[in-house]
Amino acid sequence: MLIDSHAHLEMKEFDPDRSGVIERARAAGVDCIVTVGTNPDLSRKALSIARRYENIYSTVGIHPHDAAGADDSSLDALKKLAQDPKVVACGEIGLDYFRNLSPREKQTEMFAKQLDLAGELNLPVIIHDREAHDQALKMVKASGIRSGVFHCFSGDWAMARQCIDLGFYISVPGVVTFDKSKVLQEVVRQAPIDWMLLETDCPYLAPVPHRGKRNEPSFLVHTARKVAEIKGLAWEDVARTAAVNTRRLFRIAGPVSK
Ligand code: NI
């Protein structure tokens, strides 16, 4: 009944044992995985994985880290890939003012262009926002896009409230299991479960008790359990509601519970 709303199965970290990772996810009750592109080549690879597995979907996007090397031909490549019905969103796109691996002007340019592209393609967006909350919100508001998710949510509850008011979901990563993640835990406490997704962001950010290892979708249960503990709910209910939310956002049909 779990859905991993944000994985990177296409990344090279999974080249040695991808099919085993996917099999372990299924065995751990992860019914569906959205694997998220970060540039045109990896978006193509993500789609090729999605086409091989019924319960894997993919997205197309240029991550802010990859914005420096992108141009209009990269956007054309995304547009072509997005014609495939297994592509369910434009992402991940956004701003990263923490690592600044691309110049900020280039990040804002590619973010704005991809918000427009999502509108043109009628796709929801997956937003990466690190240390750029005000600018990211401002650009989302200006774009008119009202369907998407702030992935790996890193703002406070006031910011989460603004995202939800705009019609955006907030996605909770394994970081919530870390003792020091008090702000995220408070967001989870306050936010309505109807506006929450769960994600691994694997191969990054493995939850406790796997912290420091390569993350994978089968570890999602630890995040669901932590959210349940914080909210005083059964973890199965958290998993089911987050799965329904994910299917609604990405328009993925199918049963979510047994
Ligand atoms: Ni990601």
Side-chain angles (χ1 to χ4, degrees), residues 5-6 34 36 59 89-94 124-128 147-151 249-250:
S5 73
H6 191 116
V34 179
V36 175
T59 74
C90 181
E92 57 185 286
I93 62 177
V125 293
I126 298 172
I127 295 179
H128 174 106
S147 175
V149 53
F150 278 75
H151 118 82
L249 173 62
F250 296 130

Side-chain angles (χ1 to χ4, degrees), residues 26-149:
R26 199 201 54 75
V30 180
D31 302 330
C32 178
I33 301 170
V34 179
T35 195
V36 175
T38 50
N39 61 41
D41 285 346
L42 285 171
S43 297
R44 190 172 297 111
K45 191 171 169 190
L47 175 57
S48 77
I49 296 164
R51 291 177 71 151
R52 283 203 294 278
Y53 294 89
E54 195 187 344
N55 293 331
I56 299 181
Y57 294 80
S58 70
T59 74
V60 294
I62 297 161
H63 192 285
H65 292 344
D66 291 60
D71 56 21
D72 288 347
S73 70
S74 325
L75 298 174
D76 288 342
L78 298 186
K79 211 165 156 176
K80 281 208 188 81
L81 294 171
Q83 302 309 312
D84 192 290
K86 287 307 275 291
V87 172
V88 296
C90 181
E92 57 185 286
I93 62 177
L95 304 170
D96 194 312
Y97 291 177
F98 178 68
R99 293 187 69 196
N100 289 303
L101 296 187
S102 299
R104 291 187 180 188
E105 314 74 66
K106 192 69 192 183
Q107 291 190 38
T108 51
E109 181 201 331
M110 292 313 296
F111 186 28
K113 285 184 171 174
Q114 292 183 95
L115 286 166
D116 286 348
L117 181 67
E120 190 188 321
L121 295 169
N122 190 26
L123 287 174
V125 293
I126 298 172
I127 295 179
H128 174 106
D129 154 38
R130 201 146 176 227
E131 309 272 319
H133 304 323
D134 291 347
Q135 179 73 4
L137 270 174
K138 200 172 117 190
M139 290 180 68
V140 166
K141 280 183 192 159
S143 75
I145 302 273
R146 295 295 179 266
S147 175
V149 53

